[in-house]
Amino acid sequence: MTRYLLDTNVLSELVRHPQGEITHKIADVGEEAVCTSIIVACELRYGAAKKASPRLTAQVDALLDAMEILPLDAPTDTAYARLRVELEEAGTPIGPNDMLIAAQALAHDCVLVTANLREFRKVPGLTVENWP
């Protein structure tokens, strides 16, 4: 079974449009095939806290409670080290959180679903999709 790791921008879209395209795509692939990263969960919770909106916080909580969240664990550390060296040597670094998310997707053999194709297509071996 293919597993899909949903990036921050995809889950933000899901929060904004709970009956939108992302919901339909999740139904197509099956909820059990979808997960996210603890890094993404941190970014979503930060965004909700920064807005200080109880409604947004509740929406983010409900979304994350319903989804598998991959912890930052081994072998992500090994994938991160390899990826960081490779991108630095190529002169194509990406942001620190994105590098952790990419390493986690690689380590757990997930397709990364993101609207940030420009950044993540720099990552060798990472399969990336954008769900409209």
Side-chain angles (χ1 to χ4, degrees):
M1 167 180 77
T2 301
R3 292 188 67 198
Y4 299 90
L5 192 157
L6 306 186
D7 192 17
T8 308
N9 50 47
V10 174
L11 291 182
S12 293
E13 176 67 17
L14 188 56
V15 168
R16 282 191 300 276
H17 304 286
Q19 301 305 318
E21 293 289 327
I22 304 299
T23 299
H24 297 297
K25 187 64 177 174
I26 291 171
D28 289 345
V29 301
E31 287 184 25
E32 69 284 348
V34 174
C35 63
T36 196
S37 166
I38 188 64
I39 306 302
V40 170
C42 290
E43 290 178 337
L44 288 172
R45 291 188 193 283
Y46 165 73
K50 187 173 180 179
K51 292 219 183 236
S53 165
R55 182 175 153 270
L56 179 58
T57 299
Q59 287 175 299
V60 168
D61 287 346
L63 175 63
L64 293 175
D65 286 347
M67 173 173 288
E68 179 185 4
I69 300 173
L70 299 178
L72 198 54
D73 60 356
T76 301
D77 56 337
T78 303
Y80 174 87
R82 198 172 325 126
L83 175 60
R84 185 167 177 180
V85 166
E86 194 169 352
L87 292 177
E88 285 178 355
E89 287 177 351
T92 57
I94 63 175
N97 283 357
D98 288 345
M99 194 169 315
L100 285 166
I101 293 165
Q104 199 167 31
L106 288 168
H108 290 275
D109 196 29
C110 295
V111 172
L112 180 63
V113 181
T114 183
N116 190 0
L117 298 176
R118 191 174 134 250
E119 184 93 338
F120 285 108
R121 283 194 172 145
K122 296 176 184 178
V123 178
L126 181 63
T127 304
V128 181
E129 291 184 8
N130 184 7
W131 292 354

